């Protein structure tokens, strides 16, 4: 499940959290939506970059599929600096590197009490010389029924 893909600017977790926080969802067929909105400014001029969207339907049938933690979620070229969690949410601070620019930010995932839907967000940003980058990611998913096939 879950590699938050950031298109041409690809970003999936390589670091480890300070704790073993994890949240879970129910097994079954899941539809997920990911949107990534990049904001790039060069020499004070905002560049036009189209947002990217990804829609998937997957069978989450194993314990690994339904476990959401910093090791299974993934954000390329990023390290987890700290994580915090409870029964229904997981948040973590990120430090990422994109084309020699250090980006920092955080992510949050919240699971509904019935474990049949989830929402997530991520914001990372940074700047170097005359370039500033901000990435905003939104993730949502819901169980649509039992796995088929």
């Amino acid at each position: 499940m879950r590699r938050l893909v950031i298109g041409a600017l690809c970003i999936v977790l390589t670091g480890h959290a300070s704790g073993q926080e994890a949240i879970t969802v129910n097994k079954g067929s899941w539809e997920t939506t990911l949107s990534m909105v990049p904001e790039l400014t060069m020499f004070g001029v905002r560049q036009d970059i189209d947002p990217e969207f990804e829609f998937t339907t997957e069978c989450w049938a194993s314990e690994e599929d339904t476990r959401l933690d910093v090791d299974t979620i993934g954000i390329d070229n990023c390290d987890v600096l700290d994580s915090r969690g409870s029964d229904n949410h997981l948040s973590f601070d990120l430090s990422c590197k994109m084309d020699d620019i250090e980006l920092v930010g955080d992510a949050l995932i919240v699971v509904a009490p019935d474990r049949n839907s989830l929402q997530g967000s991520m914001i990372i940003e940074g700047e170097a010389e005359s370039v500033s980058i901000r990435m905003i990611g939104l993730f949502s998913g819901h169980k649509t029924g039992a796995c088929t096939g």
Side-chain angles (χ1 to χ4, degrees), residues 6-22:
I6 304 179
L9 300 175
C10 217
I11 297 190
V12 180
L13 291 175
T14 58
H16 297 291
S18 59
Q20 291 298 320
E21 291 88 3

Side-chain angles (χ1 to χ4, degrees), residues 5-124:
V5 178
I6 304 179
L9 300 175
C10 217
I11 297 190
V12 180
L13 291 175
T14 58
H16 297 291
S18 59
Q20 291 298 320
E21 291 88 3
I23 52 178
T24 59
V25 295
N26 291 325
K27 294 179 182 177
S29 180
W30 279 76
E31 289 182 353
T32 60
T33 303
L34 170 68
S35 63
M36 292 304 299
V37 180
E39 295 176 1
L40 175 66
T41 303
M42 297 178 70
F43 302 102
V45 177
R46 185 158 174 190
Q47 305 299 304
D48 248 353
I49 301 176
D50 291 332
E52 297 197 16
F53 302 95
E54 182 179 306
F55 305 95
T56 60
T57 300
E58 298 176 301
C59 175
W60 296 353
S62 71
E63 295 298 319
E64 183 180 329
D65 290 339
T66 59
R67 179 181 169 89
L68 302 168
D69 61 28
V70 295
D71 292 325
T72 60
I73 292 169
I75 303 173
D76 282 336
N77 306 319
C78 293
D79 291 319
V80 174
L81 302 178
D82 189 23
S83 67
R84 297 150 308 279
S86 73
D87 189 44
N88 69 339
H89 85 276
L90 177 65
S91 62
F92 43 96
D93 299 327
L94 297 168
S95 174
C96 309
K97 191 158 190 150
M98 184 185 303
D99 296 328
D100 295 326
I101 297 176
E102 293 291 328
L103 304 172
V104 295
D106 52 34
L108 171 67
I109 299 169
V110 178
V111 174
D114 67 1
R115 304 271 180 239
N116 288 328
S117 63
L118 60 95
Q119 299 285 323
S121 64
M122 176 189 77
I123 298 175
I124 56 174

